[in-house]
Amino acid sequence: MNDLDIRKMKKFIIIGVIAVAVLFVFSKAFYTIGEQEQAVVTTFGVPSCESEPGLHFKIPFVQKVTMVDTTIKGLTIGYDMNSNATLSEEAIMITSDFNFVNVDFYLEYKVTNPIKMLYSAEKPEQILKNIAQSCIRSVISGYDVDSVITNGKGEIQAMIRDKIIARLEERDIGLQLVNITIQDAEPPTAAVLEAFKAVETAKQQKETEINNANKYRNESLPAAEADADQIAKEADAAKQARINEAEGQVARFNAMYEEYVKNPLITKQRMFFEAMEDVLPELKVIINDSNSETQTILPLEPFTAGQE
């Protein structure tokens, strides 16, 4: 093989590589939107929405396309769709008359705004399910067990649907509720019933203890208030007695002072004799007047003292 043949072969190879590259780029430049799809096209990170079915063009490596299914989809609450097994953590709910009930729901929804569905929140389907569970429990708690199991299902479904729609409008995650229905409603298992009974027993015991405590308080409080009132009255009486005693002593002192001013010597002697009488009540005082042979004994003894 001469040099000319080699150059021709290289030329053909280069042309082939360029053709393959052009075909590859060309294949990436077109995308197709189905009847039940919408496309979110991002150009340098800025999203836009395409909903017209058919073949569309995009700029390779500049624009990125994400296809979004807009058909009605469904999710279950309270049971597994594949095995039909009950999911107790989702199905068991408490009614207004404090009974447990197993309720299964089937929820239908669809995408109304692909851009918000993709970029406004992470895992929008899970957010929808959480909203639905919150609304379901809120509504079920307002009905008794008979209404949930028998004749109240239609009204319950309507209230739940309205609550979910309102919550979705607040969150604005690009999803719309189509419908929600109660698949099944029945009393819980025996084990759950036993647990419920235990809870009810604990509640009753709590109420009993509270009532007993209130009764004890109501019985003890009047007695304590009476005791406090009696103590206050006794304290007031003691206070008044002390005041009266002090006032009496002041009056007695003033009277003694007036007598003292009039006759200091006699008053001193009388005070001395009274003090000695208090200290030594058996003491006999003999007064001997030097100017007279008469002796005076205080206190005076009766004339019959010492006689049988």
Side-chain angles (χ1 to χ4, degrees):
M1 183 178 292
N2 55 32
D3 293 340
L4 181 60
D5 293 334
I6 293 174
R7 286 197 297 271
K8 288 180 178 181
M9 184 176 295
K10 288 182 178 180
K11 183 177 180 179
F12 287 141
I13 292 173
I14 293 172
I15 292 173
V17 171
I18 293 174
V20 171
V22 170
L23 289 174
F24 176 77
V25 172
F26 186 77
S27 66
K28 295 294 183 180
F30 293 93
Y31 62 93
T32 302
I33 300 178
E35 291 291 336
Q36 299 292 333
E37 289 181 325
Q38 291 188 28
V40 176
V41 182
T42 56
T43 304
F44 298 112
V46 179
S48 60
C49 187
E50 293 287 346
S51 58
E52 188 68 26
L55 187 64
H56 295 262
F57 174 80
K58 69 171 182 176
I59 302 174
F61 309 111
V62 175
Q63 293 180 316
K64 180 181 178 182
V65 178
T66 302
M67 305 304 297
V68 177
D69 185 2
T70 58
T71 60
I72 296 176
K73 299 178 182 178
L75 60 87
T76 60
I77 299 175
Y79 69 100
D80 183 80
M81 184 180 295
N82 297 322
S83 63
N84 204 33
T86 298
L87 302 177
S88 299
E89 65 274 12
E90 295 180 1
I92 297 179
M93 303 178 193
I94 302 178
T95 59
S96 62
D97 52 353
F98 299 104
N99 281 300
F100 282 147
V101 62
N102 279 347
V103 189
D104 301 336
F105 288 86
Y106 185 75
L107 184 149
E108 295 175 294
Y109 70 97
K110 67 178 181 179
V111 177
T112 55
N113 190 321
I115 294 177
K116 289 184 178 180
M117 192 275 294
L118 290 175
Y119 300 107
S120 66
E122 186 178 358
K123 298 180 180 180
E125 289 86 358
Q126 185 61 46
I127 294 176
L128 171 60
K129 186 171 184 178
N130 292 340
I131 291 174
Q133 286 181 297
S134 174
C135 295
I136 287 169
R137 294 186 182 277
S138 175
V139 173
I140 293 293
S141 65
Y143 287 83
D144 57 43
V145 65
D146 292 335
S147 299
V148 176
I149 295 177
T150 57
N151 57 0
K153 292 182 179 179
E155 183 178 342
I156 291 172
Q157 289 176 171
M159 290 190 65
I160 293 173
R161 181 169 58 250
D162 293 342
K163 280 181 173 290
I164 295 175
I165 291 173
R167 292 283 298 277
L168 285 177
E169 289 177 354
E170 292 177 1
R171 294 299 301 268
D172 195 18
I173 57 176
L175 299 181
Q176 178 185 5
L177 177 69
V178 176
N179 195 22
I180 184 168
T181 56
I182 297 177
Q183 297 295 99
D184 192 16
E186 60 185 6
T189 62
V192 175
L193 287 176
E194 288 299 323
F196 174 74
K197 290 179 181 178
V199 172
E200 286 300 308
T201 301
K203 289 181 179 179
Q204 293 176 1
Q205 291 177 348
K206 173 185 174 182
E207 292 297 326
T208 300
E209 294 297 331
I210 292 175
N211 292 335
N212 290 338
N214 289 333
K215 179 181 178 182
Y216 177 77
R217 182 192 65 183
N218 294 334
E219 292 176 350
S220 301
L221 189 59
E225 291 176 347
D227 292 342
D229 185 62
Q230 181 64 28
I231 292 172
K233 289 181 178 178
E234 292 177 355
D236 289 338
K239 169 186 173 183
Q240 192 60 43
R242 292 289 182 89
I243 292 174
N244 294 338
E245 181 181 357
E247 290 176 348
Q249 291 178 355
V250 169
R252 182 171 177 269
F253 177 81
N254 290 334
M256 292 177 62
Y257 181 73
E258 291 177 359
E259 294 295 327
Y260 175 80
V261 171
K262 295 177 181 179
N263 301 292
L265 181 60
I266 296 175
T267 303
K268 285 182 180 180
Q269 290 178 348
R270 190 184 70 181
M271 292 175 63
F272 173 76
F273 294 148
E274 289 178 353
M276 293 301 295
E277 185 178 10
D278 291 336
V279 174
L280 301 171
E282 301 297 329
L283 179 66
K284 293 181 180 180
V285 179
I286 300 174
I287 301 175
N288 188 6
D289 189 356
S290 58
N291 297 324
S292 174
E293 296 180 356
T294 304
Q295 291 183 342
T296 303
I297 300 176
L298 294 176
L300 297 176
E301 295 182 351
F303 293 104
T304 59
Q307 297 181 0
E308 295 295 336

